[in-house]
Structures are given as structure tokens and as C-alpha cells.
Amino acid sequence: FSIAWPRVLPDGSGRVNPAGLDFYSRLVDELLEHGITPMITLYHWDLPQRLQDLGGWRDRATSSRFADYATIVAGHLGDRVRTFTTLNEPWCSAFLGHASGEHAPGVRDLPAAFAVAHHLLLGHGLAAAAVRDQRADAEISITLNPASVRPASHDEPDVLAARRAELSSNELFLDPLLRGQLCAELVEASKTVTDWSFVESADLGVINAPIDFLGINYYG
């Protein structure tokens, strides 16, 4: 199940809502009582409005606020919960939320989508460390929705478009997470859109924090 960040921290940071934490504590107890192992997802697209007003995931500081939130949740539930998934489908938050505008916050700004994707991954790495600080034997995962992209034809424009879609759907997330590096092909293909100046030198080491398993949502 997923925790709602605004339910725990209505303003995204600072004041904790005890009723929100107590709700999830009771839920965990009820699951355990019925022999069900709780597995928590920390972020399923519900960003506190106050943080969105300050720039949302386009703002690097949101990554640190996410780690603070993870510390609170793991500190409250980590005595009974071992498995934590940091993010659910960050591609959706980045591109449906900031490129096509189909999802909240309804932005249509492709360069912003790349920055958001990076800050989400940075938040994942910081949150993974925060959870492990609360429970050393925690199992950490992140859930992606990778795409199997096929060109509409063998014509060069279609092949190129498919490859660029694959880069932004898959390599954008998998290379930093599993290899600790940006995909050079992606950086080259997107250089007319973004200069990647939002990536700082230590970021990729943080993002490349060990995970215990990789969640996959695949829609055939």
C-alpha cells in the first residue's frame, strides 16, 4: 500500500499530523494480525500542495524534503515494516505531470520533465539512506514502468523517434539507478532540450544506492 505524504506532513515538512501516522500504524497492525506482510510505497504521486507552490519536483530541495518524510515514516513504522518502495512510476510524475500535462501538476514543459525525473531519482537515493538509518535491515526498492517501444515503420524518422522514446522511458531511470551514470546517448539526444545543469557531481552516487529489488509495472 502507499502512504500519502500530505496525510503525514500536510505542508510537506515541519508539522507532523499524528492522526495520519496513527492511521497507517493501525493499518500495519491489522495486516500483521491477519498474517499479511506490509510493504510500503512512500510516494505514489501525491505531493503536498505547499511543496508544489515552492516549485515541486522541479525544485531540488523537494528531494531532501522527501528524505525527511521517509525518515518520519520509517521511524514510526519501521519496527513492524521491513520493505519500503521509494517511488511508484517516476516516469509518470515526470512526463505525464510535466511534459504532456495529463497528470498533476498539469505542466507542459519538456525541459522541466527531465529535471523532475532527476530530482525524483535523487529523492529515491536520499530516502533509501534515510530508511536504512531507521532500520538497518530494511529492504529498499523502487517501482518503474519501463516501456517496450517499437517503431511504427522501418523508416528512419520512426526508428529515431522510437529510440528517443525508449531512452526517456527506460535508460533515463535505469542507468542512474543501476549503473550510477547518465546515459550518454540520452544526453546527446536531448541536448537541444536541456543542458543537464541540474545534475550535481555527487548526485549519481546517491541515486546508485543499492536496492534489494526492482519493482516493475508492465502494461501489455
Side-chain angles (χ1 to χ4, degrees):
F1 65 93
S2 299
I3 303 281
W5 188 350
R7 195 171 196 167
V8 174
L9 290 162
D11 295 322
S13 61
R15 179 180 63 88
V16 175
N17 175 27
L21 280 176
D22 288 347
F23 169 81
Y24 292 113
S25 185
R26 294 195 305 272
L27 174 58
V28 167
D29 288 344
E30 190 77 10
L31 291 170
L32 291 171
E33 186 177 333
H34 287 80
I36 300 171
T37 301
M39 303 171 70
I40 285 175
T41 294
L42 290 169
Y43 187 71
H44 197 147
W45 311 343
D46 44 2
L47 184 70
Q49 183 62 49
R50 173 62 177 161
L51 293 186
Q52 182 58 42
D53 293 342
L54 294 171
W57 286 107
R58 286 177 288 183
D59 184 355
R60 182 183 180 86
T62 301
S63 304
S64 296
R65 300 293 77 76
F66 181 59
D68 295 341
Y69 154 66
T71 297
I72 292 168
V73 173
H76 196 74
L77 303 178
D79 59 331
R80 289 155 289 161
V81 177
R82 184 184 180 197
T83 303
F84 291 83
T85 294
T86 56
L87 308 172
N88 179 73
E89 298 184 351
W91 179 89
C92 294
S93 301
F95 287 90
L96 297 184
H98 297 82
S100 69
E102 297 172 62
H103 287 190
V107 173
R108 295 183 178 181
D109 182 349
L110 183 56
F114 284 105
V116 166
H118 178 70
H119 293 151
L120 282 160
L121 290 175
L122 180 60
H124 153 79
L126 293 171
V131 171
R132 288 187 171 121
D133 281 345
Q134 297 298 314
R135 178 165 181 166
D137 67 341
E139 292 182 335
I140 302 295
S141 74
I142 182 172
T143 296
L144 305 182
N145 56 317
S148 177
V149 184
R150 298 176 180 87
S153 74
H154 294 298
D155 294 343
E156 184 177 356
D158 287 342
V159 172
L160 178 61
R163 180 55 183 160
R164 288 185 172 175
E166 188 173 46
L167 288 170
S168 61
S169 297
N170 300 342
E171 280 84 343
L172 174 60
F173 300 95
L174 289 169
D175 278 24
L177 283 167
L178 303 182
R179 295 176 174 155
Q181 63 188 37
L182 293 176
C183 173
E185 185 182 356
L186 171 63
V187 172
E188 176 65 22
S190 61
K191 65 183 181 181
T192 59
V193 175
T194 184
D195 60 7
W196 297 89
S197 59
F198 45 80
V199 179
E200 297 187 4
S201 59
D203 289 357
L204 291 167
V206 174
I207 294 168
N208 189 224
I211 57 175
D212 296 284
F213 62 91
L214 177 65
I216 298 292
N217 286 346
Y218 182 73
Y219 308 93

